[in-house]
Structure formats: structure tokens, C-alpha cells
Amino acid sequence: MPQEYIEIRGARENNLKNVSLRIPKRKITIFTGVSGSGKSSIVFDTIASESQRLLNENFSMFVRNFLPKYAQPDADAIENLSMSIVVDQKRMGGGSHSTVGTVTDINTILRLMFSRIGKPYVGPSSVFGFNDPKGMCPNCNGLGRKLDVDLDKFLDPSKSLNEGAILFPEYAVDSWGWSLLINSGLFDPKKKISKYSKKEMDALLYCEPMKIKTKVGPKDMNLTFEGIVSRFTSKYIKRDIKTMSERTQKSVEPFMTMGPCSVCKGARLSPETLKCKIEGYNIADLTSMEIPELLDVVKKIKDPVAEPMVKSLLERLQHLVDIGLEYLSLSRETDTLSGGESQRVKIVKHLGSSLTDVIYIFDEPSVGLHPRDVHRMNDLLLKLRDKCNTVIVVEHDPDVIKVADHIVDVGPHAGPLGGEIVYEGSYENLLKANTLTGRHMKQAITLKSSFRTPAGKLPVRNAKVNNLKNVSVDIPKGVLTVVTGVAGSGKSSLINEVFQQQHPDAIVIDQSAVGVSSRSNPATYTGIMDDVRKAFAAANKVQASLFSFNSKGACETCQGLGVIYTDLAFLSEAKTPCEDCGGRRFKDDVLAYKLNGKSISDVLAMNVQQALEFFETKEVVRKLQAMSDVGLNYLGLGQPLSTLSGGECQRIKLASELHKKGSIYIMDEPTTGLHMSDIGHLMQVIDRLVDAGNTVVVIEHNLHVIKNADWIIDMGPEGGSKGGQVVFEGTPQDLLKAKQSLTSAYLGNQENENHQEKKVGT
């Protein structure tokens, strides 16, 4: 069968310079190139957008009202497209009602199996769903946990009622609530709470409402007494506390805690549903197991009725293992997954599909994967291709690039200096190509030989969060510490939860979004815009607020947006440049004011590199240089922050924090989204931070970063219940000798490869 191609002619989205391209169908094509070179503009804004737009056009206009709307990409022609499925790194929401089991549809199969062979029979499959009113626990509505009273903060057991044992202000001594307790006759006011019997304690906390006689002035009155927890629950927990006054919220919230539901004990299901079992386990027991343990249980089910369900379960669960998520359980809530974990869970869902000739589009699928597990990801990409699908991947990891049938290198640089195809062809020929990617694929990174001396230590003691097994470890001060280990080994639990909680002043630089508004941009985020407005105001002797498109200077027609949005119902929303300001966002009289021959709109149209050459103001140059240092030269000063990737968000945060000294910096996989050529720049920035007296702690898988650490803390040995331990502490050189470390094994393999390459070269 002759090779077919997806044909793109004259693509001009974002920075693309009239790109024409042929992508082989039913092959793996990997797009490489520096951040901002135009990879995403081709893959997501052109191919994926047009494929999804064409698919939606098959539906009626009524249905299209409810579907996402995709604008037609700016290109002369895009031909031979199939249906596309985008598997990106966007974190899966869904709240507490969405779990790994529900999004992969594995729970659906489990529910069906329990309804067919579970004993005793309790009802159809819907009864086994915690999102169904018939199956959910009536006490917590299927959440598995409930807002409750924090008794440790509510009571001081060492005191009596007369001594103020109830710490909640409504029961302070001589208060109305306290008087009701004393007048109930149920308690000895002089007896310490710690001496109460179970019956007395239950009465104090949970007594049903009862009438008591009490004196109010000269008269006797019948009043209602209720247990203190029961009353607090009905008054504050069963009502939405957010609707109460801010003062009430502040006084009540310290006495509340989120804990396991007292009825289902976290299982989420009703007591009747939990009575139904297979092989001695109810459905909640199975969903709370780690995947390998669950696989063992499912393999033991021999009932012939369950055979097709068992086969399907084994296949889907094995996919989770194959993709490196064996440490998860089906009950893990999806909004607690990282971006990389979310992407791999989405892949599992598609692996079970029998569709063929689909375009699968992946956005850096290696993110969050330990080098040991990258081959698993590669195997899955190959499986998808071998089912006659077209696989398109945007990727920087050399080990993923190796499996490509076809490589498209975009560049040569970023932003206006990118947007061209600099190489197309095989992996072997890429190594010979004189492009940034080709050159860096061959570049060996040497292991650091001298290490900084710590200026002290920051201890973590007896950490037990998530899978951490009573971990005690010292983070050295004033050096670069890299925390390594396979996915799920406990790196994030140790650093992002325990260590960060103990050091709340630490500067956290993660990949969460920095802005969702089109009015926020790199110039406003880094504070450059304030200095720019002052410079324009001083040069033209006018108010600084005139040079803000959010204030007095905004074009009155588009309110400073630069565009006019028109709702076209079932069609894509029309976005047209504002006729009055021509998309420049400012009033005409504001644009007449110049600074060194440039208007405020001209300045916002500059990228970081151009702005560095234009400005001389010391503070502006310092902030621009910081953005340049972290590899953001190509970023436009006026580009909306909502368009930045996770890696770009992290780097712009880093740029805005670079000036601080004597601080603790925590970075979570800062190499995400970075081309190999940019990681060296990032290391220079990190080294500069450490040399200025800061303590830098990085969670990372990238070997370039690991080899340049002063100190390594390797978590593991595996993920989930088989992890949560410190398997190594020491320098990168010492790590090579650590036989029990998976990171050590991989580091050793690469060192051997480097030596062999040097021998061949000589």
C-alpha cells in the first residue's frame, strides 16, 4: 500500500512562516525544536484544530451549539486529515467524584461484575456507583469524607466544665451555651472531661435535643439542650458556612476538620452495597488496592459468567502497569494527579479503543516519567501506531525521539526567529543535521566532580504523608539538592507537602498557571510595565495611567482588548481587530506619545530580546535579563499569560524571583517544556541562585540536572506502597555506586555510553 500523507500548505498560525509539510500517516512523527519555535502552532493550532473543526461540522447546527468551537487555522490548505484525539497535560478536574477508576471506565466494568456475580445480590450495577443516589453513602453523599468537628481543638480533656473544658467560644464559662449544659443535670461541672464515662461523653457530644427547665431571671423556662457536636453540626456544618459573615467564618473554621465519613469509613458507598462481595472483597476494597494487588485478585475470579469482564479488566489494568502507573489505586481522585500522570491516565482510556486510522496527538508524554520508565511510554506509542493510527508527538526527550519513524525539527530559534522547518527525516540523519536539536542529541553531559559545602541543614523528621514511611532526612543549606526517584516514589510528598509545610516562606516555582486573563502579560506580571509607564510619562510629561490599556489609555471601543468578539451561536466566535485602534488597544492620542521613537503599543509588540536592546533603564533591563536567562527571549511583552505552557509559566515565575537572596527555592521539574539547548541556560540560572546564598531544592528526572547537583536524595525504591523511603543520600558520584537505586542504574548506563562515544570519537 503506497504511503499516504497529511498535507499542510502555507501554514501561518502564530509565528509560522508559510510552512508547507507532509506528515506520513500511520507512522510516529515527532516534532522537536526549542520552546517557542512553532511546534505547537503546527501540531495543536493547525492540525488538531482543523481536524476537530471538521469533525464538529458533521453534527447538526443545534448540536454544534453545545460543542467546543474551533476557528479555521490560517493556512492555504490542510488535506488528508483523520479524526484527531489530543492527549495533553491538562490536569483532569472532576472534583472528589472523579477517580482513576471512573475516568478509565474500569469502575464501570467492576460495577457490572459485582451486579452479576457478587454475593449477596444487592441490585443492578448502578447500586455500586458512589455517584449514584442508590449506591452512595447517605451520610457523605459518596465523597468518603465529611466536614466534622475537630475535637482536639474543641475540648481540653484536662479541665472540667467549670474550668472551661469546652474551647469553642459559644460554650465559654458563664455563657448561655455553658449555662444550658450545667442546667441539663447530665454532667458534674467539677469533673474533668478525661474522667467521663462513655455514656457521659456521648451525652456531652451527641445528646438528642431535649427540653430542660432553667431559670431566666425570676422565671422558669423550658429550653432545648442538644449535644455540643450535634448542635455545632446542625448550626454550621449542615449549612453553607460561606454564606455566613466573615467574622463567623473566622471564629468557626478553626474548630472544623475534613475527616473520613463515620458511616462508610471512606468507602463512599452505602452499608447495603458494601455487603456484596467477590472473593471476600467488596467493591471499595478492590478500588482502594494498588494496581498489581488488584490484578492478582481479578486473576483468581473463575466464574464463567464473569469471563468477558475479567478479560477486559485484566487488559485495562495491565495498561496502567505498562504506562508506569502501577502505584495508583482506582480510588485515587483525578484532581490530585500531576500533569504527567493525568496524561498517562488519558492514554490508558484510548488504548482500549478499537478505532483505527485516528490521529493521536501527544504533548510531551515523557513529562513526570523517570528515565527507567520512558521505554514503557515508547512501547505504548508503538502499539497505537501498529493499530494503523497516526501518532504525532511534541517532545524534547532524546529517548522518546529515538522511536520516531519521522522527525520534524522546527526552528531555527524561537518566536520571530523560528516558525520554519529546519529538518525533516529519520533519527539517524537528525544526528548528522546542523540544527540545535541535532547538535545537542550528540552532546555528552559530564558528571560534576566538585561540590559546594553545605552551610547547615534543614531537617525533615518522621514524615508519614501519603506513602512516606516515617522518613527522616536532612536537606543541606546553601547548595543545590536534587530529589530523584520513579513516579510515585514520594518525591512530591516529601518536598511539596512535608518540607514546604515546615518552611512556609520557601519560594515555590511550579507549573501552575500564572494568569488566565488576556489582560495579563509578561510585562505586567514581572513588574516591567510599571517602569515602562513611568518612563513614557516622564518623557512626555503626562500621567502614567494613560499608558495602561486597563485604565485611562484604553481604547473606548474595545475596552483595551484590541479585538471585538462576536457571538455566532453554533459557529466559532468571531474575533476581529478593533476598527478604532487597529488591535493596538490604546487611544490614538496615547499612541502619539513616544519613547525613543516608539509608542507604548510598539513596546508591547517587542519580544524580550528586542526589549533588551531597546531599554536602558536599569530596573527594566534587570527584569528583562532574568527572563532571557531562563530561556524566554522569544516571549512577547504583551502576549497574554493565558497562552503560556506549564514550562513557560514556571520559567516566568523563576525570572520574577531571581533577585532574592538567603531564601529557599523549591522547583518541581523545571526542565518541563525545555529544549536540550535551553537546559544549560537553566542550570546557569540555578547555579547563580545557589552562589548568591540560596538553598535550591529541585524535583527532577532530567540527567543534566542530576549530574550537576551538589547533593542527591533518591526516593524509592519503586512507586506507591513499594516506595516512600530514602534509598540514597549523597553526591552524584557516590550515586553511581548505589546498587539499590534505579536512578543510579540509569545514570551508570549513560556514563558508559558517554565513555564509549568518546572512544569511538578518538
Side-chain angles (χ1 to χ4, degrees):
M1 186 176 173
Q3 178 65 58
E4 294 178 64
Y5 295 88
I6 297 168
E7 304 259 0
I8 300 172
R9 292 194 295 277
R12 293 175 293 273
E13 279 294 315
N14 303 323
N15 69 332
L16 298 180
K17 293 172 181 164
N18 230 32
V19 166
S20 294
L21 194 61
R22 296 175 88 216
I23 300 169
K25 297 189 81 170
R26 303 171 197 93
K27 301 285 185 186
I28 298 175
T29 297
I30 292 184
F31 281 75
T32 65
V34 296
S35 302
S37 61
K39 304 183 300 296
S40 295
S41 296
I42 298 172
V43 175
F44 297 103
D45 299 335
T46 303
I47 298 171
S49 183
E50 179 66 355
S51 169
Q52 290 166 323
R53 186 186 72 83
L54 292 173
L55 179 65
N56 286 0
E57 283 192 352
N58 290 293
F59 297 100
S60 70
M61 289 182 175
F62 172 75
V63 172
R64 274 189 258 169
N65 270 316
F66 305 99
L67 296 173
K69 296 173 177 66
Y70 299 96
Q72 188 164 357
D74 186 3
D76 293 337
I78 307 168
E79 297 172 356
N80 297 339
L81 283 177
S82 308
M83 181 185 84
S84 70
I85 293 173
V86 177
V87 187
D88 58 22
Q89 292 175 43
K90 286 180 184 166
R91 299 197 179 202
M92 291 187 283
S96 303
H97 283 282
S98 177
T99 65
V100 171
T102 60
V103 297
T104 56
D105 291 334
I106 296 175
N107 272 22
T108 307
I109 303 166
L110 275 176
R111 292 200 298 266
L112 182 64
M113 188 166 70
F114 269 86
S115 71
R116 297 296 187 267
I117 67 168
K119 299 286 187 289
Y121 176 79
V122 295
S125 61
S126 60
V127 170
F128 296 92
F130 52 76
N131 290 330
D132 192 290
K134 299 189 204 80
M136 65 174 59
C137 168
N139 187 51
C140 65
N141 294 326
L143 286 177
R145 57 184 188 270
K146 199 169 181 189
L147 205 56
D148 214 338
V149 175
D150 188 341
L151 285 177
D152 290 337
K153 293 178 180 173
F154 212 81
L155 292 175
D156 181 350
S158 67
K159 293 180 179 176
S160 66
L161 293 177
N162 278 351
E163 293 169 328
I166 304 174
L167 304 176
F168 185 52
E170 287 185 17
Y171 292 95
V173 176
D174 292 331
S175 67
W176 182 260
W178 178 85
S179 299
L180 277 175
L181 275 174
I182 301 302
N183 289 320
S184 69
L186 297 173
F187 315 104
D188 179 352
K190 297 176 184 175
K191 186 177 181 179
K192 294 191 186 301
I193 299 287
S194 58
K195 304 290 186 186
Y196 275 29
S197 66
K198 185 179 183 306
K199 186 178 177 182
E200 287 174 313
M201 201 66 181
D202 284 346
L204 177 67
L205 302 179
Y206 309 112
C207 180
E208 294 287 325
M210 57 181 280
K211 295 289 183 185
I212 61 165
K213 274 191 179 179
T214 186
K215 279 197 178 293
V216 179
K219 294 183 179 179
D220 285 340
M221 284 188 71
N222 283 326
L223 296 174
T224 302
F225 166 74
E226 189 177 6
I228 58 175
V229 168
S230 301
R231 178 169 171 74
F232 185 94
T233 301
S234 59
K235 191 172 178 181
Y236 298 111
I237 293 177
K238 287 186 178 176
R239 293 170 61 195
D240 185 358
I241 192 174
K242 299 296 180 191
T243 62
M244 299 178 193
S245 70
E246 194 174 326
R247 183 179 172 186
T248 301
Q249 288 182 47
K250 282 184 178 176
S251 66
V252 168
E253 279 174 348
F255 298 93
M256 300 162 80
T257 184
M258 184 67 83
C261 169
S262 57
V263 174
C264 68
K265 306 291 188 283
R268 296 172 167 242
L269 294 159
S270 67
E272 294 73 27
T273 299
L274 294 173
K275 287 174 187 172
C276 182
K277 297 188 177 181
I278 297 174
E279 295 287 325
Y281 299 101
N282 62 40
I283 192 168
D285 295 332
L286 297 187
T287 56
S288 63
M289 292 176 179
E290 286 187 8
I291 305 302
E293 187 185 356
L294 178 54
L295 268 168
D296 290 340
V297 173
V298 173
K299 285 173 184 173
K300 292 175 186 172
I301 300 170
K302 303 299 181 188
D303 192 314
V305 174
E307 189 177 336
M309 292 173 275
V310 168
K311 184 183 175 186
S312 183
L313 282 171
L314 292 176
E315 182 184 1
R316 289 171 187 246
L317 291 169
Q318 191 58 47
H319 286 328
L320 283 168
V321 173
D322 293 342
I323 209 163
L325 294 175
E326 67 273 16
Y327 57 89
L328 295 181
S329 66
L330 297 180
S331 60
R332 174 80 174 265
E333 292 172 11
T334 52
D335 56 7
T336 67
L337 299 176
S338 68
E341 287 169 334
S342 295
Q343 188 174 35
R344 297 200 291 281
V345 166
K346 291 174 195 172
I347 294 172
V348 170
K349 188 170 184 179
H350 296 304
L351 281 170
S353 170
S354 55
L355 286 172
T356 59
D357 215 3
V358 171
I359 302 172
Y360 283 97
I361 297 175
F362 294 91
D363 185 11
E364 286 192 71
S366 68
V367 166
L369 273 180
H370 189 272
R372 192 276 307 256
D373 295 322
V374 169
H375 75 277
R376 294 177 172 184
M377 171 62 66
N378 290 344
D379 289 344
L380 292 170
L381 297 178
L382 292 165
K383 272 185 190 175
L384 284 172
R385 179 202 66 185
D386 294 344
K387 287 169 76 174
C388 292
N389 295 303
T390 302
V391 179
I392 298 177
V393 186
V394 174
E395 187 56 83
H396 294 296
D397 191 313
D399 289 324
V400 180
I401 295 171
K402 284 175 187 174
V403 301
D405 300 308
H406 186 71
I407 293 169
V408 179
D409 197 12
V410 188
H413 298 287
L417 300 175
E420 301 174 40
I421 306 301
V422 293
Y423 171 81
E424 284 183 82
S426 66
Y427 173 75
E428 291 73 22
N429 287 334
L430 174 68
L431 297 179
K432 302 171 192 170
N434 188 26
T435 68
L436 271 174
T437 306
R439 293 197 298 272
H440 279 83
M441 288 290 286
K442 295 174 289 192
Q443 205 171 67
I445 303 143
T446 54
L447 196 66
K448 195 171 178 177
S449 56
S450 61
F451 310 98
R452 297 178 182 91
T453 304
K457 59 187 180 183
L458 302 164
V460 175
R461 294 290 174 263
N462 309 114
K464 298 175 184 175
V465 170
N466 301 327
N467 69 331
L468 296 179
K469 297 184 171 77
N470 207 27
V471 168
S472 292
V473 69
D474 292 325
I475 309 284
K477 285 177 74 173
V479 304
L480 170 59
T481 298
V482 177
V483 184
T484 61
V486 296
S489 60
K491 306 183 297 296
S492 294
S493 297
L494 179 67
I495 302 303
N496 291 340
E497 295 194 46
V498 181
F499 181 70
Q500 191 180 324
Q501 194 175 32
Q502 293 177 4
H503 301 278
D505 295 333
I507 299 163
V508 180
I509 300 171
D510 58 16
Q511 294 172 34
S512 58
V514 288
V516 292
S517 168
S518 60
R519 292 183 178 276
S520 186
N521 56 47
T524 57
Y525 182 81
T526 55
I528 290 170
M529 201 62 198
D530 292 335
D531 296 304
V532 170
R533 282 195 288 263
K534 286 174 188 172
F536 266 93
N540 294 282
K541 296 183 172 53
V542 291
Q543 287 181 306
S545 59
L546 274 177
F547 302 98
S548 168
F549 52 71
N550 295 324
S551 186
K552 290 182 180 177
C555 165
E556 290 171 355
T557 305
C558 64
Q559 305 299 314
L561 281 173
V563 292
I564 302 292
Y565 291 97
T566 308
D567 184 8
L568 298 180
F570 51 83
L571 297 175
S572 305
E573 186 176 54
K575 184 172 81 170
T576 52
C578 172
E579 289 183 7
D580 283 1
C581 69
R584 292 175 296 180
R585 311 180 89 165
F586 294 91
K587 295 174 183 173
D588 284 343
D589 55 344
V590 173
L591 294 171
Y593 296 120
K594 306 283 183 179
L595 177 68
N596 298 332
K598 299 287 185 183
S599 72
I600 186 69
S601 180
D602 295 333
V603 168
L604 286 173
M606 293 177 180
N607 63 30
V608 170
Q609 184 62 48
Q610 292 165 334
L612 263 173
E613 294 165 9
F614 176 77
F615 283 105
E616 294 176 0
T617 310
K618 188 178 177 183
E619 188 61 15
V620 173
V621 170
R622 184 184 66 76
K623 290 173 181 176
L624 287 168
Q625 189 59 52
M627 283 201 281
S628 176
D629 288 345
V630 296
L632 295 176
N633 263 334
Y634 60 91
L635 215 60
L637 295 188
Q639 181 179 336
L641 291 182
S642 54
T643 64
L644 301 191
S645 68
E648 287 169 333
C649 288
Q650 190 171 37
R651 294 198 293 284
I652 200 167
K653 287 179 192 174
L654 178 56
S656 64
E657 299 283 3
L658 278 179
H659 60 284
K660 296 183 179 174
K661 294 182 180 180
S663 302
I664 300 168
Y665 284 79
I666 297 173
M667 300 184 198
D668 194 352
E669 293 194 54
T671 62
T672 298
L674 272 184
H675 187 263
M676 293 166 275
S677 62
D678 289 324
I679 293 173
H681 297 308
L682 176 71
M683 286 312 306
Q684 289 172 8
V685 172
I686 291 174
D687 282 336
R688 205 168 80 211
L689 275 176
V690 180
D691 292 339
N694 297 295
T695 300
V696 180
V697 182
V698 180
I699 299 170
E700 191 53 85
H701 295 298
N702 186 280
L703 288 174
H704 192 150
V705 180
I706 292 170
K707 286 182 174 185
N708 282 281
D710 297 306
W711 194 253
I712 302 279
I713 296 173
D714 195 38
M715 300 297 293
E718 291 282 350
S721 62
K722 294 179 182 174
Q725 301 173 56
V726 175
V727 294
F728 170 81
E729 290 178 79
T731 66
Q733 281 189 335
D734 293 335
L735 178 61
L736 284 172
K737 305 167 197 164
K739 303 291 184 196
Q740 74 280 19
S741 165
L742 289 167
T743 307
S744 167
Y746 191 82
L747 196 61
N749 289 343
Q750 206 196 52
E751 282 296 289
N752 291 335
E753 285 175 19
N754 290 347
H755 289 312
Q756 286 168 4
E757 283 172 12
K758 281 179 186 174
K759 283 180 184 175
V760 171
T762 55

